[in-house]
Amino acid sequence: MNQPGPPGFAFVLFGGTGDLAMRKILPALYAAHRDGMLAPDGRIISVAMTTLDHSGYLGWVDEHVKPRISGTAIDDGVWRSFLERITYVALDAGQPEAFSVLRETLGAAHGRRIFYLATGPALFVPICSALGTAGLTEGARVVLEKPLGYDLESSTAINDAVGRIFNEEQIYRIDHYLGKEAVQNLFALRFGNSLFEPLWRREWVESIQITVAEELGVEGRGNFYDQTGALRDMVQNHLLQLMSIVAMEPPRSMDADAVRDEKLRVLRALKPVLGEQIRQSVVRGQYHAGAINGVSVPAYHAEPGVRPESRTETFVALKVEVENWRWAGVPFFLRTGKRLGARVAEIVVNFRTVPHSALGPMALRPGSNRLTIRLQPTESIRLSALAKQPGLGMTLQGVYLDLAFDQFFQQDRMEAYQRLLLDVIAGRLALFVRRDEQEAAWRWVAPIIDDWATQDTPPRSYSSGTWGPAAASALLARHNTCWLEEEN
Ligand code: BG6
């Protein structure tokens, strides 16, 4: 049974007419409302700098948000009651004196205040300062969207400034991957079963792959993406978070800090990749024209908002090592990119082969024992093993134990944003990134960012619809392995 959240919250959405509000946040709030998970007196206050009035804004929500809501058909009555929760405030977030309007709108009734900053990072500090000056921060929560900064220095500056106004326990840094059902299932799989834990270490694991591949290109975000690139957009946050969950020690409990302490230990134990190792361990690529599912797509350079001579990477593959007793010497291969061969996110754990085969060479073939955890587009786990083919001989063949979660659990999955927004409203911090985690991740990617900024060579090009530059395959071949889709 869905439980309505605690009473009396005011959810203040800065960037109320922005892309994120339109695509993710308002649809997620609607879904929570529809599912009866929001307290009846919870209010949404959308803030933006437009000339719209209240009814004009509701018209905008009708036109732009409604078509983006997935799932069952929208019931008119439910939609209307959702719109009734919304108040629109036109406000220039760069003008602190304008925040008195917000204070009046909030009134005294709503103790539980949530300020969601769905704006560019440049506005994070001005908005937080103005909220502080307007006396609105006590007991409030602030949600910061990614990207939080552009590098370690800028994210530290933002964290310092926001930290002068809000305590760490009031700050919710979003990484929407942590809100995905499949990602939380990693905790269940690892720490709810005794089955995997004894094998989850260097003695038994040969290598691990983490892939987050997209078919989409930059989707009208060329301007933003060209300043960002895949390392900042995906690796610094989503991939390193996934990796830290895969590699972490079992936490004492699922309390926010117990979990975040263990993830932090992994992030701090990442072996630095420096100097010449960057060229050996990191591959950056950029897509050119090609076809996705038979439909021609343009080159990255031809996307609106992208500089014609841009060297921004749309693909990264890298080898990462964790310097601790559990993982010393085990390569983690991380890979992400746009315009790749399929939309897929998966974690592949390759176990070592038997130390001696009495059954011929097949049993010594790498990858015979493997756990594949698929996160997207569907959730599944597959355990690969060897079995005997029926007959007189002892011929081995790969077989699978497969579990498709959507067949087992037939109920609908909650979108990551819906889950995370409900967590903010309820004050659950476990699925949000703590400052030290975020800074450890920036610290680790910093030498790569710096190296690329000074390199003369452009990223390696790859055709849209493929699996990235050949160098990404060569990276694994040097470790006697290959990406999962390259296996025959
Ligand atoms: C976002 C990135 O954080 O994640 C996007 O900014 C990317 O570039 C998106 O497309 C991928 O998320 P998902 O949930 O579609 O895998």
Side-chain angles (χ1 to χ4, degrees):
M1 262 290 280
N2 292 334
Q3 299 290 325
F9 68 84
F11 188 101
V12 183
L13 175 58
F14 286 92
T17 50
D19 203 57
L20 193 73
M22 174 173 85
R23 284 177 203 278
K24 298 286 185 191
I25 301 168
L26 289 167
L29 285 168
Y30 169 76
H33 168 82
R34 176 199 60 203
D35 299 346
M37 298 175 93
L38 294 183
D41 55 351
R43 295 162 65 199
I44 299 165
I45 297 164
S46 270
V47 178
M49 197 181 66
T50 65
T51 51
L52 294 172
D53 59 10
H54 178 69
S55 66
Y57 181 71
L58 294 188
W60 179 89
V61 175
D62 234 6
E63 187 183 335
H64 292 93
V65 178
K66 207 172 177 185
R68 294 191 156 81
I69 290 170
S70 55
T72 47
I74 297 176
D75 177 286
D76 277 346
V78 179
W79 179 251
R80 269 197 309 278
S81 59
F82 173 64
L83 293 184
E84 278 163 18
R85 287 184 186 269
I86 301 179
T87 308
Y88 178 66
V89 174
L91 179 117
D92 180 351
Q95 303 284 317
E97 51 300 342
F99 278 63
S100 56
V101 183
L102 182 60
R103 198 176 48 222
E104 279 157 33
T105 312
L106 280 166
H110 289 89
R112 190 185 304 269
R113 292 180 183 139
I114 292 135
F115 298 111
Y116 196 115
L117 275 44
T119 64
L123 283 175
F124 289 176
V125 177
I127 293 176
C128 290
S129 307
L131 290 172
T133 311
L136 291 171
T137 54
E138 209 186 310
R141 295 172 192 149
V142 65
V143 187
L144 305 178
E145 258 297 337
K146 71 173 266 282
L148 202 138
Y150 184 71
D151 52 18
L152 178 60
E153 210 184 352
S154 52
S155 90
T156 307
I158 294 173
N159 279 326
D160 280 346
V162 174
R164 282 194 281 275
I165 300 153
F166 291 97
N167 304 323
E168 183 63 27
E169 298 69 48
Q170 294 177 284
I171 304 175
Y172 291 68
R173 293 180 194 81
I174 284 238
D175 181 316
H176 80 280
Y177 265 63
L178 298 182
K180 290 181 190 265
E181 193 64 45
V183 174
Q184 290 154 57
N185 205 13
L186 286 174
F187 290 104
L189 209 64
R190 282 205 56 203
F191 307 129
N193 297 290
S194 60
L195 192 62
F196 302 112
E197 175 55 21
L199 303 178
W200 212 258
R201 56 190 65 248
R202 65 188 301 282
E203 288 80 1
W204 299 104
V205 174
E206 180 88 44
S207 68
I208 295 185
Q209 298 176 14
I210 302 179
T211 293
V212 178
E214 297 184 86
E215 287 179 345
L216 293 179
V218 292
E219 305 304 298
R221 294 194 308 159
N223 227 321
F224 157 78
Y225 194 87
D226 208 37
Q227 324 259 339
T228 309
L231 190 68
R232 292 183 173 92
D233 189 42
M234 297 292 289
V235 177
Q236 185 274 341
N237 35 69
H238 307 322
L239 272 94
L240 288 182
Q241 280 291 325
L242 284 181
M243 177 173 168
S244 65
I245 298 171
V246 171
M248 70 193 269
E249 295 300 316
R252 172 177 45 79
S253 70
M254 288 305 284
D255 282 356
D257 281 334
V259 173
R260 301 188 299 178
D261 286 347
E262 295 304 340
K263 286 195 288 158
L264 175 66
R265 284 200 181 99
V266 175
L267 293 166
R268 287 196 172 151
L270 298 181
K271 186 173 179 181
V273 180
L274 307 167
E276 190 44 38
Q277 290 153 1
I278 297 174
R279 263 161 291 288
Q280 281 165 20
S281 304
V282 189
V283 176
R284 60 173 181 154
Q286 190 187 74
Y287 64 81
H288 58 80
I292 301 278
N293 298 323
V295 179
S296 302
V297 292
Y300 177 67
H301 275 157
E303 300 273 11
V306 172
R307 294 158 298 161
E309 76 296 354
S310 169
R311 291 189 166 183
T312 299
E313 77 289 355
T314 60
F315 174 96
V316 186
L318 23 79
K319 186 189 92 171
V320 187
E321 286 178 74
V322 186
E323 296 187 304
N324 63 19
W325 274 41
R326 187 186 281 267
W327 295 116
V330 178
F332 284 71
F333 297 106
L334 272 46
R335 169 176 68 157
T336 186
K338 296 210 179 274
R339 293 281 192 232
L340 295 185
R343 174 175 185 249
V344 64
E346 67 192 1
I347 297 162
V348 179
V349 182
N350 286 313
F351 293 98
R352 295 190 190 281
T353 55
V354 291
H356 164 74
S357 172
L359 306 173
M362 181 71 178
L364 297 173
R365 221 178 65 158
S368 305
N369 288 170
R370 156 182 304 151
L371 181 69
T372 308
I373 306 168
R374 182 164 276 210
L375 312 171
Q376 274 175 187
T378 51
E379 270 174 75
S380 63
I381 55 174
R382 163 177 280 200
L383 189 61
S384 315
L386 291 176
K388 176 187 172 301
Q389 275 180 12
L392 273 184
M394 178 53 83
T395 310
L396 299 182
Q397 187 182 326
V399 292
Y400 309 117
L401 292 167
D402 256 329
L403 172 65
F405 283 93
D406 54 351
Q407 282 166 24
F408 199 88
F409 298 110
Q410 300 207 337
Q411 61 262 50
D412 288 341
R413 301 293 190 276
M414 208 186 280
E415 285 279 335
Y417 268 95
Q418 182 180 347
R419 158 74 201 239
L420 293 175
L421 297 183
L422 289 168
D423 279 358
V424 178
I425 294 171
R428 292 186 288 258
L429 267 166
L431 298 179
F432 295 84
V433 180
R434 208 169 56 190
R435 173 177 182 164
D436 45 12
E437 287 180 82
Q438 190 190 49
E439 291 181 355
W442 274 123
R443 197 165 288 116
W444 188 80
V445 296
I448 306 174
I449 292 179
D450 294 348
D451 182 76
W452 287 353
T454 56
Q455 250 187 54
D456 288 337
T457 46
R460 295 165 194 271
S461 109
Y462 63 96
S463 300
S464 292
T466 66
W467 286 94
S473 304
L475 170 67
L476 268 68
R478 287 200 291 279
H479 295 270
N480 295 322
T481 181
C482 64
W483 298 104
L484 192 57
E485 80 282 349
E486 292 171 342
E487 261 181 23
N488 43 37

